Amino acid sequence: MYAIVNIAGKQFKVTKDQFVYAPLMQGEAGASVEFDQVLLAEDNGTVSIGAPILAGALVSGKILDHVKGDKVIVFKKKRRKGYKKKNGHRQDFTKIMIESIVL
């Protein structure tokens, strides 16, 4: 059983007991969250497609931690001008464990 769910503006294919790194969300570690924007669900070979979302479908999970992604280096240079600029960036994510999918 799997579902495609909209979490904070991004779509994820999730199954039960899976970890998902979603964009930063509000909530403490250990808090439970529910996602009702289920776009597609599969159960024992039967695929249900929403238009645009499935009515009554619910994906519940638990926030495990707020983490940062890998560092991305941004380097800008203009040749023969002496212009160099180096910046780094780390994106914030929320680690979520999917606990159940209800159709």
Side-chain angles (χ1 to χ4, degrees), residues 9 13 20 28 30 41 45 57 66 68-69 81 84 91-92 102:
K13 179 181 176 183
V20 175
E28 296 291 325
H66 298 289
K68 286 192 170 196
K81 305 297 180 202
K84 288 188 262 183
Q91 189 70 33
D92 292 320
V102 178

Side-chain angles (χ1 to χ4, degrees), residues 6-48:
N6 186 1
I7 300 174
K10 293 188 183 267
Q11 296 176 7
F12 294 93
K13 179 181 176 183
V14 297
T15 58
K16 188 177 183 306
D17 297 330
Q18 177 186 1
F19 296 108
V20 175
Y21 290 94
L24 188 64
M25 298 171 48
Q26 298 294 325
E28 296 291 325
S32 74
V33 289
E34 293 183 343
F35 308 106
D36 57 351
Q37 293 187 349
V38 179
L39 307 173
L40 181 140
E42 185 272 335
D43 185 23
N44 296 329
T46 306
V47 178
S48 303

Side-chain angles (χ1 to χ4, degrees), residues 83-98:
Y83 172 79
K84 288 188 262 183
K85 190 162 294 260
K86 181 178 175 182
N87 286 321
H89 175 75
R90 292 184 71 187
Q91 189 70 33
D92 292 320
F93 293 104
T94 300
K95 185 176 181 181
I96 301 170
M97 185 179 79
I98 304 299

Side-chain angles (χ1 to χ4, degrees), residues 69-74 87-91:
D70 295 335
K71 181 171 265 195
V72 177
I73 302 297
V74 180
N87 286 321
H89 175 75
R90 292 184 71 187
Q91 189 70 33

